[in-house]
Amino acid sequence: MLEWLREDYPFELEQIDITTDEALEAKYLFEIPVVIYEGHVISQGRYDDSKVEDFVKYTLTSKKNV
């Protein structure tokens, strides 16, 4: 979904493998996938397409004046 959104709303995306970081693994092990932007959780656990899409459309793009 995020890759698909990037086609219409360009933004940087970083995927992190939580198994390479003990603190992240302990924090998010049972809550993946997690979408975080500037320290704020956008979606956690069950991926919420509409919530993430709305965030990208109305938050990321407004900052870029797209």
Side-chain angles (χ1 to χ4, degrees):
M1 175 66 172
L2 290 171
E3 290 293 338
W4 173 78
L5 283 171
R6 288 179 69 195
E7 293 176 13
D8 293 323
Y9 308 98
F11 60 91
E12 289 185 37
L13 177 64
E14 178 183 6
Q15 293 184 23
I16 299 173
D17 179 357
I18 66 167
T19 62
T20 63
D21 182 310
E22 288 182 19
L24 289 177
E25 187 173 29
K27 185 173 184 176
Y28 296 116
L29 181 62
F30 299 108
E31 300 297 325
I32 54 175
V34 180
V35 177
I36 299 174
Y37 178 75
E38 293 184 351
H40 300 285
V41 175
I42 308 307
S43 180
Q44 185 173 352
R46 178 172 276 182
Y47 185 81
D48 187 334
D49 284 339
S50 62
K51 188 175 185 179
V52 173
E53 183 173 6
D54 285 348
F55 172 80
V56 169
K57 284 181 181 178
Y58 302 114
T59 303
L60 294 183
T61 57
S62 65
K63 287 185 177 185
K64 296 178 182 179
N65 297 319
V66 174

